[in-house]
Structures are given as structure tokens and as C-alpha cells.
Amino acid sequence: MDAKHPVQTTEKTLALIEQLIEGGPYGVTELSHELDMGKSAVHNHLTTLQSHGYVLKADGEYRLGLKFLEIGGHIRKSMEFYEVAEPEVKALAAETGELANLLVEEQGVGVYLMRAKGDDAVDLDTYAGLRTNLHTTALGKVILANLPESRVEEIIDQHGLETKTPKSVGTRDELFDVLDDVRERGYAIDDGERLEGLRCLAAPVKASSGAVLGAISVSAPASRVSDEDLHGALPERVLSAANVVELNINY
Amino acid sequence: MDAKHPVQTTEKTLALIEQLIEGGPYGVTELSHELDMGKSAVHNHLTTLQSHGYVLKADGEYRLGLKFLEIGGHIRKSMEFYEVAEPEVKALAAETGELANLLVEEQGVGVYLMRAKGDDAVDLDTYAGLRTNLHTTALGKVILANLPESRVEEIIDQHGLETKTPKSVGTRDELFDVLDDVRERGYAIDDGERLEGLRCLAAPVKASSGAVLGAISVSAPASRVSDEDLHGALPERVLSAANVVELNINY
DNA sequence: ATAAGCGTTCTGCCTTAGAGAACAGAACGT
DNA sequence: ACGTTCTGTTCTCTAAGGCAGAACGCTTAT
């Protein structure tokens, strides 16, 4: 939703921050060209951000500081869901030896809260804070499957069904069929849809109200996950982890 | 350093964000009282932040979203030092079974980039992004010891020498004596200074230029770290980890 | 030396942020 | 059902201040 009465000055500051995220470090002149702002305006914004710790100057160039990490870390730490789930996800990674992930939905997209690597884990370039379309991962699908249908429609309308690989779900009907399966099974599977050769299994974490809080998954190369595992031992283990989190949250 | 020509509108937005960090979720009216701003101003700022994903509205209340985690994660991931050091710190935690940490200096304070927990690790409430005064931890001391003396003076002037426990260094002279020791030994020790019963050992990671990039540490309860360990096997292991990082960074 | 680049400062016009009032809706106790 | 009192949101108008553009000091290249 767009703001009815946006604070334009703030939007300029945010545009500047977004630019610094993309590339950088930047000089004042460079940024002023990039953003179509006067040099003085850019300078004023940068020094303001700097005095509050959001931006640093080194060798005459400006870049973002670690204040964003501090704020992000603080926000994550204040989430009960994260605090309860974190040890379970780590345990899951340690026991399976693979990559375990924790995802929540925010504004219709998935946000990774953390990942934990087991001894043999593949090294995807996911990281805490990374956003992903919900329909492209097992984690996302298991969340979509537990949202009201109307909300799913909203999310599709807003974010589309952009597809990463030929195997991905590409149409609305296809997605709803998949979500039906997920609901029936209780977990979601991604067999090479996001990344060729990568198998992924996700289970939902639900509050006592039935609302979905997030999802837990394990990702592993297909070579190490047999078809039997994929429908036997693995879902059992992931569902059990999700269940422990549910119990700990709902006391 | 304060901005010469601060963008006051941006400062109001930042004040609002800082307030949302502290507590929340907040309503518009509540925030307008807290920050001495009109309701319309608060509302305009909040909706502007919301439309850019920084703030979320749920049940009529506003709170910060995970965009900060995304930005922070992105910034951290783009730091070569972090990318190289991260696997070493994890290995250190796994091998020792204790808590391993990674810290960098920014604007005169220490910022934890990550922590990794071994099987027996104590659970301190540090987290990625957390800030700490440099003189209060082994990590910080090992960084101070590798900065130019003039810079150390600056940092003390700016941040003081506030002390957490009676054992901490409390005076300028005492600190410089400690830093001399650290330089001589090559690593820093914190024996219950920050937290009673907690022993901590830190080693610096330096660029080929000699500039200190950050520090690696292991924290463990005193009951599990004998005096011999503290000056024998443990520093050897931590220094080795720091050394590997140095080699990987300097190719 | 000269020039061309940078970041920073300055000034004054004119955009615009925001106080305050008005409004719509929800949540109360009566 | 009713008025009351919260809330978040919209509106208007004017004083405040953002910022374009010019000028300045500095470093680096020619």
C-alpha cells in the first residue's frame, strides 16, 4: 500500500539507503547523479545518516554501517517464534548433517530468519533476512497451504508467480493443486524446483489458533536423499522439530 | 560527528525508528506523545516507512519489519572479512564445544558479526549486531591493542571507560598497561571481567598492512578452562583460527 | 602552474512538512 | 441503542526548512 501523504524528504533518504545497499561505497557526486539530486541535498542526507550511525564515511566515500545489522538482530531476537525455533533448527541441522532453514511470511513474501549448516550441508547463498517468493520454495508452499485461500489470492495478485526453473509451479491452478497436496500430507516438498538437484522438505509451525507462524525445512542434494527418505524418515524428523516448536510456543 | 546541516525531517523519521526499536508495537497517538510530534506527522512518517517495507501495521499498531534484518544481512554478507572468518569461527565452536565470537570495530565500538555455539556452549545473550564497549571484552582489547595509540585515546575520549564489574579496567593507565601485555602475548584474556565466572580468550585478525580487521574469541565457564588451558592449548587454537583467516584474506 | 575533479559550505527561493481541526469507525459502559 | 471516548486517518493552510545552484577550499592529474 502506498502512503496517502508520503513524507518526500524521508523517501529521498530511503532512496539513498537503497542505493547504498545495491552498490557502493559511493561518493557524493556519484550518488547525486545516480539519484538525480543536488550534491548539497545528498551531502545533507548522508551526514544526517552518519551522525545517527546508519552511514559511515571512509576515505571520502560513504557506505552503510552495521547499525542495520544491530536493528535487524534486535528485531529478530525479540520474536518469540525465532527464539523458540532457533535451537530446534540447529539441532535439525546437526542431526541430519544438512542445511536447515527457518522462514516466516511478511507482506506476502518469505523471509529467512536463519539457516543452520550441518557437517555435510550444501552451501546455498541464503542468509538471514533474505526474501523469496513463497511459491518457489517448500518453505513458502507450506506457509501458503496454511493461509486462508483469499490471502493466497491476494499474494499471487501482488507478487505474481514468477518461475525460476521449468519445474516450478507456473499457474494459479497448479499452485492450488499443490497446496491441496501439502495440506493433505502435512509437509511440502521441493524436488529440484528452485535449484536443479536440490531436494527440500518443509513443515509448518502453527499457533494453537491454527494460524501459521512460519516453517522449518531441510535442504539436501538429491544424491543423498532417496525417494524413501523423502516420504519417510525425513518428513518425520522435520515434522517432529516443527511440533516441538509448536509445543514450546503454546506452552 | 554531528551533521552541519542535518535534514530535520529525516531525523524525525530516525527518531521514530529508534522508538520502535525500544518498545512497541506502538499506536499513532502513543508515538506522537512519546516523540512530541503531531499525530498527522507521525502518521505520515509511519505510512511512508510502511510503503517502503521498513514498518508494518498489524491490528492497528505499527512495528518494525524484517527489512532491517535483510539490509543488515546483506551488508554483513558483502564483508569479505565476515565471509572468510565465518567458517573458521564455526569450526572453532565445534572443536572446542564452547561459544565462539567474531567482532569488528566500527566508530569506536565493537560490533559482534556472529557467534557460533558448540555443544556445551554457555548461552550469553549476545547476537549479531550487538554493540559493546571495546575495553570491556577480550575481543575489544585485542582490537584496541592493535590500533594506533592516538586512535585509542580518541575512542576513550568518545566512549569513556564505563566499567561493568569491579574487575574491569577502570582507568586509562590501567588500560594501556593491559594493552601492552596483549601486544606482547599476541592475545587477550578476560577472566570474569565482563561476567563473573566467564573466561574469554581473543586473538586479532590483521591485514597484511598490519591494520586490524577484527577479532575472534572463545568464551567458556571458568570451571571448564584451567589456568594451563588459558595460557596453553586455548590461545594456540584461537590464534591458529585467526591465522587461517589472515592467510585466506591476504591470499 | 594550471586545470579538473572532489567534498563541503552558503544563500535564498519555493516546495512541503506538519500543527491542529475535523472526521470515521471501533470499543466501551450505561 | 445510546452517547462518550478512545482510536487512526484526512484535510487545510502557513511557517519552516529542503535543496538547487553557485561559490569555496582541497587534492590529484596534467
Side-chain angles (χ1 to χ4, degrees):
Chain A
M1 182 200 89
D2 260 32
K4 260 285 177 45
H5 301 285
V7 183
Q8 302 178 39
T9 307
T10 296
E11 295 201 304
K12 285 177 188 167
T13 298
L14 297 182
L16 209 144
I17 290 173
E18 308 266 346
Q19 189 66 44
L20 288 171
I21 294 173
E22 300 301 328
Y26 282 100
V28 174
T29 308
E30 203 177 355
L31 273 173
S32 82
H33 287 124
E34 207 74 49
L35 299 171
D36 256 318
M37 296 170 59
K39 284 205 294 177
S40 66
V42 170
H43 182 257
N44 290 159
H45 279 265
L46 283 174
T47 52
T48 302
L49 286 169
Q50 185 188 12
S51 75
H52 290 263
Y54 292 86
V55 158
L56 305 178
K57 184 169 61 172
D59 308 316
E61 299 214 295
Y62 292 89
R63 60 180 180 81
L64 295 181
L66 292 169
K67 178 126 183 176
F68 289 94
L69 188 67
E70 180 185 17
I71 298 176
H74 187 91
I75 292 169
R76 183 173 69 169
K77 199 179 157 56
S78 69
M79 296 172 67
E80 190 195 5
F81 174 65
Y82 170 74
E83 286 293 302
V84 172
E86 190 252 17
E88 288 309 316
V89 175
K90 283 197 174 170
L92 192 57
E95 284 174 36
T96 60
E98 305 290 354
L99 184 69
N101 296 288
L102 187 65
L103 189 102
V104 292
E105 178 260 337
E106 184 174 289
Q107 312 270 71
V109 303
V111 183
Y112 286 92
L113 279 187
M114 67 168 292
R115 58 168 205 179
K117 286 163 73 174
D119 289 334
D120 308 319
V122 293
D123 199 356
L124 302 181
D125 61 349
T126 61
Y127 56 90
L130 184 71
R131 280 153 191 260
T132 176
N133 279 332
L134 290 169
H135 69 280
T136 60
T137 65
L139 284 160
K141 282 187 275 190
V142 91
I143 286 180
L144 287 175
N146 288 282
L147 289 175
E149 191 167 328
S150 59
R151 179 86 183 101
V152 177
E153 293 278 8
E154 262 180 39
I155 291 174
I156 300 175
D157 291 342
Q158 203 180 346
H159 297 101
L161 286 173
E162 197 195 337
T163 162
K164 299 244 166 155
T165 73
K167 272 183 150 181
S168 307
V169 286
T171 69
R172 204 171 281 246
D173 288 347
E174 200 180 338
L175 178 60
F176 278 109
D177 283 350
V178 170
L179 296 188
D180 278 338
D181 286 354
V182 171
R183 265 185 296 269
E184 200 173 314
R185 256 195 259 109
Y187 57 87
I189 286 176
D190 171 352
D191 189 357
E193 285 170 46
R194 204 186 66 153
L195 206 72
E196 189 61 39
L198 187 76
R199 284 182 158 178
C200 192
L201 194 146
V205 178
K206 289 185 266 189
S208 50
S209 67
V212 60
L213 299 170
I216 294 177
S217 79
V218 168
S219 300
S223 57
R224 277 204 296 267
V225 183
S226 68
D227 288 355
E228 301 95 275
D229 286 347
L230 200 60
H231 295 93
L234 193 55
E236 209 168 296
R237 186 62 197 84
V238 179
L239 283 166
S240 147
N243 197 28
V244 170
V245 175
E246 286 179 353
L247 291 172
N248 284 334
I249 279 186
N250 300 323
Y251 296 124
Chain B
M1 182 200 90
D2 259 30
K4 260 282 178 43
H5 301 286
V7 184
Q8 302 178 37
T9 306
T10 296
E11 296 202 303
K12 284 178 189 165
T13 298
L14 297 181
L16 207 144
I17 290 173
E18 308 265 346
Q19 189 66 44
L20 287 172
I21 295 172
E22 301 300 329
Y26 281 102
V28 174
T29 309
E30 204 176 352
L31 273 173
S32 81
H33 287 123
E34 207 74 49
L35 299 170
D36 255 319
M37 294 169 61
K39 283 204 295 176
S40 65
V42 170
H43 182 256
N44 290 158
H45 280 265
L46 283 174
T47 52
T48 303
L49 286 169
Q50 185 190 10
S51 74
H52 290 261
Y54 293 86
V55 158
L56 306 177
K57 184 170 62 171
D59 309 315
E61 299 214 298
Y62 291 89
R63 60 181 179 80
L64 295 180
L66 291 169
K67 178 126 185 176
F68 288 95
L69 188 68
E70 180 185 16
I71 298 175
H74 187 91
I75 292 168
R76 183 174 69 169
K77 196 177 160 57
S78 70
M79 296 173 68
E80 190 194 4
F81 174 65
Y82 170 74
E83 286 293 302
V84 172
E86 190 251 19
E88 289 307 317
V89 175
K90 283 197 174 170
L92 193 56
E95 285 175 34
T96 59
E98 304 288 355
L99 185 70
N101 296 288
L102 187 65
L103 188 102
V104 292
E105 177 259 337
E106 184 174 291
Q107 312 270 71
V109 303
V111 182
Y112 286 93
L113 279 187
M114 66 168 292
R115 58 167 205 180
K117 286 164 72 174
D119 290 334
D120 308 319
V122 292
D123 198 357
L124 303 181
D125 62 349
T126 61
Y127 57 91
L130 184 72
R131 280 152 191 262
T132 174
N133 278 333
L134 289 168
H135 69 279
T136 59
T137 65
L139 284 160
K141 280 187 276 190
V142 90
I143 286 181
L144 287 175
N146 287 282
L147 288 175
E149 193 166 327
S150 58
R151 179 83 184 104
V152 178
E153 293 278 8
E154 263 180 38
I155 291 174
I156 300 174
D157 291 343
Q158 204 179 345
H159 298 102
L161 287 172
E162 196 196 337
T163 164
K164 297 245 167 153
T165 72
K167 271 183 149 182
S168 308
V169 287
T171 70
R172 203 170 281 246
D173 289 346
E174 198 180 338
L175 178 61
F176 278 108
D177 283 350
V178 170
L179 295 188
D180 279 337
D181 286 353
V182 171
R183 266 185 295 270
E184 200 173 316
R185 257 195 261 109
Y187 57 87
I189 286 175
D190 170 353
D191 190 356
E193 285 170 46
R194 204 186 65 152
L195 205 72
E196 188 64 38
L198 187 76
R199 284 182 159 179
C200 191
L201 193 146
V205 178
K206 287 186 266 190
S208 50
S209 67
V212 62
L213 299 170
I216 294 176
S217 78
V218 168
S219 300
S223 57
R224 281 205 292 267
V225 183
S226 68
D227 289 355
E228 303 96 273
D229 286 346
L230 200 60
H231 294 92
L234 193 56
E236 209 168 298
R237 186 63 197 83
V238 178
L239 282 166
S240 148
N243 197 28
V244 170
V245 175
E246 286 178 354
L247 291 172
N248 284 333
I249 278 186
N250 301 323
Y251 294 127

